[in-house]
Amino acid sequence: MTNQMNISRRTILAGAAITGVLTPILANAAAPAAKVAIKSTPADIATLKRQKIELVKPPFVHAHTQKAQGGPKVIEVTLTIQEKKMVIDDQGTEINAMTFDGSVPGPMIVVHQDDYVEVTLVNPDTNTMPHNIDFHAATGGLGGGALTVVNPGEKTVLRFKATKAGVFVYHCAPPGMVPWHVTSGMNGAIMVLPRDGLADGKGNELTYDKIYYVGEQDFYVPRDADGKFKTYDTAADAYADTLEVMRRLTPSHIVFNGAVGALTGENALKAAVGEKVLIVHSQANRDTRPHLIGGHGEYVWATGKFHNVPDYDQETWFIPGGTAGAAFYTFAQPGIYAYVNHNLIEAFELGAAAHFKVTGDWNDDLMTSVLAPES
């Protein structure tokens, strides 16, 4: 353990260029803040109702209301960091993952605009490295990263006000190790719903029957001289080789929800004809192009911000790296729908694919076989 801790401390120094950028920011975050208009005092916040959320593993999302009930609340969530080995394909390729709550991606959090999000971040003493959390939905201090660096055996509590409506990425961002932690699985999403719920941009409400969270993840697994994927006892042991692969900007795997096949076959996402489904899709590091084969994005917030008018009837939509997007679709036909990154090499060769298994009656008016294949 001592050796691992020494190695992990050295990794902080390995990203000297990034650390040089972040160090003055971290220092300034601890300095007295400039005067700003304060709308709520600690005493005001203390009077708000508190609600504790039990998070669930993606692609599922914890129970929530689509419209806010009553005034703003303090929403309490706990995220526990787990460093763990994970198998990411059917060939048994193994990585030393870094995770929030043990899954890649971490669980999705749902709140409403103007709620306060109070996050307890736990780094158990069984881990070997420092971690933190950067919420793209938050304002100030590296999205919380400047205030939440926790060593093994520590915990911290961060509260921020969810002032912007939309879906946003969160990820680990420790100085000098940001890309390594993010590409080792340490990212997730938070959805901040408008208090009146979603709308179509024309004044009409949009309500979904189901919601699924797809987290797209790029992994960079080193290979040996024979081209076989290497394994390591610890993440720290893998650091130098993994960094070399990362710098080539060519992932070994691009997957949905942590592994090839995590959302296909028996793990396919389920829906029925007539059900309205909201798909939240995040990519914390690379650009992506979601596409539902056989369906559409009827309403799409490609950059995930709900006060923007959604795009309509999209075939494929573009989500920039470091962003979460959302797409709304009412399934009209039964069958298996492939949901893919429409860089088809990444979908079919590297793993960025999921399935929707949709039940219901077939509608010949929408599609029918006029002449079956024949010689």
Side-chain angles (χ1 to χ4, degrees):
M1 179 66 72
T2 301
N3 185 52
Q4 291 175 356
M5 287 297 293
N6 287 338
I7 293 172
S8 64
R9 289 190 186 100
R10 287 198 296 272
T11 64
I12 299 176
L13 301 177
I18 297 176
T19 307
V21 173
L22 296 184
T23 298
I25 300 174
L26 291 167
N28 289 336
K35 291 183 179 180
V36 295
I38 299 174
K39 295 186 177 180
S40 296
T41 67
D44 294 330
I45 297 172
T47 66
L48 298 179
K49 291 183 178 179
R50 302 179 75 88
Q51 179 182 350
K52 186 174 182 179
I53 290 175
E54 297 296 332
L55 301 175
V56 300
K57 182 179 178 180
F60 305 107
V61 180
H62 64 83
H64 59 276
T65 61
Q66 296 182 44
K67 291 186 178 183
Q69 297 178 342
K73 298 180 176 67
V74 178
I75 307 298
E76 302 175 356
V77 297
T78 297
L79 289 169
T80 301
I81 297 159
Q82 293 184 34
E83 300 169 7
K84 58 186 290 188
K85 292 182 181 294
M86 294 180 65
V87 174
I88 61 171
D89 62 22
D90 55 6
Q91 305 301 311
T93 304
E94 180 183 272
I95 64 164
N96 292 281
M98 306 177 208
T99 73
F100 293 103
D101 277 11
S103 65
V104 178
M108 193 165 91
I109 303 165
V110 182
V111 302
H112 291 88
Q113 191 172 15
D114 295 328
D115 284 342
Y116 291 86
V117 185
E118 191 169 284
V119 181
T120 299
L121 184 66
V122 181
N123 189 0
D125 60 10
T126 50
N127 290 335
T128 63
M129 284 175 284
H131 299 278
N132 68 350
I133 192 164
D134 168 4
F135 282 96
H136 289 194
T139 302
L142 296 176
L147 303 175
T148 56
V149 178
V150 280
N151 292 307
E154 296 179 342
K155 70 176 182 180
T156 187
V157 180
L158 173 75
R159 186 180 66 231
F160 69 91
K161 188 173 184 178
T163 60
K164 311 295 183 185
V167 284
F168 301 82
V169 165
Y170 67 79
H171 61 86
C172 190
M177 299 185 288
V178 179
W180 182 38
H181 283 228
V182 172
T183 61
S184 293
M186 214 165 180
N187 57 83
I190 179 170
M191 180 163 74
V192 183
L193 287 166
R195 298 198 71 77
D196 291 332
L198 298 180
D200 66 357
K202 299 178 181 179
N204 303 307
E205 296 181 357
L206 288 177
T207 58
Y208 46 87
D209 300 309
K210 288 183 176 178
I211 179 173
Y212 290 114
Y213 171 35
V214 177
E216 186 170 338
Q217 179 67 52
D218 46 322
F219 289 121
Y220 299 81
V221 184
R223 298 177 185 267
D224 63 20
D226 297 323
K228 296 181 179 179
F229 290 118
K230 298 174 70 173
T231 59
Y232 302 85
D233 290 337
T234 68
D237 292 338
Y239 175 74
D241 289 348
T242 302
L243 185 62
E244 182 179 347
V245 178
M246 287 164 48
R247 286 175 172 168
R248 298 175 195 152
L249 303 180
T250 303
S252 60
H253 299 73
I254 301 174
V255 301
F256 291 169
N257 289 44
V260 176
L263 300 179
T264 63
E266 294 182 357
N267 300 318
L269 308 172
K270 294 180 174 58
V273 169
E275 281 193 318
K276 297 171 288 186
V277 179
L278 185 69
I279 307 167
V280 175
H281 190 125
S282 69
Q283 223 303 3
N285 193 56
R286 301 175 79 250
D287 300 341
T288 187
R289 308 158 185 81
H291 174 81
L292 181 65
I293 300 176
H296 302 88
E298 290 174 321
Y299 303 95
V300 176
W301 299 267
T303 57
K305 307 308 166 272
F306 293 137
H307 288 313
N308 295 331
V309 175
D311 293 323
Y312 304 119
D313 300 334
Q314 297 297 297
E315 57 180 317
T316 302
W317 45 102
F318 179 78
I319 298 177
T323 304
F328 184 105
Y329 182 61
T330 304
F331 282 94
Q333 294 277 43
I336 301 296
Y337 292 70
Y339 176 79
V340 300
N341 174 338
H342 213 288
N343 179 323
L344 296 178
I345 300 167
E346 296 181 356
F348 289 94
E349 298 299 325
L350 299 185
H355 288 161
F356 279 89
K357 184 176 182 180
V358 180
T359 58
D361 295 327
W362 185 263
N363 182 347
D364 280 343
D365 186 49
L366 292 175
M367 179 181 286
T368 190
S369 174
V370 178
L371 175 66
E374 64 177 15
S375 59

